[in-house]
Amino acid sequence: RRQHVVLIGSLFERRAPGLFHNTAVVFENDGRLLGCYRKIHIPDDPSYYEKFYFAPGDLGFPVFETSIGKIGVAVCWDQWFPEAARLLALGGAELILFPTAIGWLNEEKEHWGQSQWSAWQTMMRAHAIANGLFVAAVNRVGTEESIEFWGRSFCSNPYGEVLVGDDGQQQPGVLYAECDLALIETARTHWPFLRDRRPDVYHD
């Protein structure tokens, strides 16, 4: 409310005794809570033992009408699933935000580091292209135990072009991207992936 911004934040939600969610909350620029998204895809990887802590989300993939546009939110591991981005796009999202904590394990960085980072960025840009919308991938920085979070947050337009970020930045900072929402209609008109979907033949 003080800064007059739409804000997305992450928290550890205690829904009931012994029942927790990895949750993102969405605030309007007047401070109102518009709602929340509970992470649906729960990983179980080295140092990411989330299945022990979190139940899968039960709210689906809501899209939030805000003063700056229609925003979809998905959290970290969700970002690897094309279904998540597609359902947000079908729900009307113009921008998908992915709050993220992804990094390298010390023993893997030298051999796999570049390819892991490249796969992550490629996936985010692919969501933007396949769904004709803006994607902001916001990643943690710093280290915790054996994980080095690689940062390199960025924003992509509907053509997969990186508007800002991804410059190797691994320090805390603020990025600004100007997102012309009119570009969504242009992109979807000339790359009509949503128009030409054939859900009638996808049942298998």
Side-chain angles (χ1 to χ4, degrees), residues 28 41 48 57 68 83-84 109 132 134 148 157 161 163 190:
E28 182 52 282
H41 302 96
Y48 290 91
I68 60 166
E83 297 88 348
K109 180 179 178 180
F134 291 87
E148 177 189 347
N157 73 13
E161 298 170 324
L163 299 177
H190 296 283

Side-chain angles (χ1 to χ4, degrees), residues 170-182:
Q170 290 183 265
Q171 300 297 320
V174 179
L175 298 176
Y176 297 92
E178 198 165 309
C179 299
D180 179 4
L181 298 184

Side-chain angles (χ1 to χ4, degrees), residues 87-101:
L87 288 169
L88 287 168
L90 293 176
E94 297 167 310
L95 166 68
I96 300 176
L97 280 138
F98 290 106
T100 302

Side-chain angles (χ1 to χ4, degrees), residues 72-196:
V73 182
V75 175
C76 205
W77 187 229
D78 290 322
Q79 70 196 348
W80 294 95
F81 294 82
E83 297 88 348
R86 176 52 51 87
L87 288 169
L88 287 168
L90 293 176
E94 297 167 310
L95 166 68
I96 300 176
L97 280 138
F98 290 106
T100 302
I102 190 171
W104 297 295
L105 293 173
N106 291 336
E107 63 271 22
E108 294 181 353
K109 180 179 178 180
E110 182 176 355
H111 187 74
W112 297 105
Q114 180 61 29
S115 63
Q116 289 174 343
W117 168 80
S118 177
W120 173 69
Q121 192 206 58
T122 299
M123 198 72 181
M124 301 303 98
R125 294 172 62 200
H127 289 324
I129 295 166
N131 296 292
L133 42 64
F134 291 87
V135 167
V138 184
N139 189 31
R140 181 180 172 182
V141 297
T143 58
E144 183 177 329
E145 296 180 350
S146 62
I147 301 175
E148 177 189 347
F149 298 97
W150 62 55
R152 304 186 77 162
S153 301
F154 70 97
C155 182
S156 169
N157 73 13
Y159 294 109
E161 298 170 324
V162 175
L163 299 177
V164 65
D166 179 38
D167 55 0
Q169 178 70 12
Q170 290 183 265
Q171 300 297 320
V174 179
L175 298 176
Y176 297 92
E178 198 165 309
C179 299
D180 179 4
L181 298 184
L183 188 61
I184 294 171
E185 184 164 3
T186 303
R188 289 181 178 177
T189 297
H190 296 283
W191 286 356
F193 305 128
L194 297 184
R195 184 198 70 191
D196 293 345

Side-chain angles (χ1 to χ4, degrees), residues 29-50:
N29 62 12
D30 59 6
R32 285 180 296 125
L33 175 64
L34 294 181
C36 68
Y37 165 74
R38 291 171 175 157
K39 184 176 180 179
I40 286 177
H41 302 96
I42 310 297
D44 185 36
D45 284 334
S47 297
Y48 290 91
Y49 303 116
E50 291 190 37

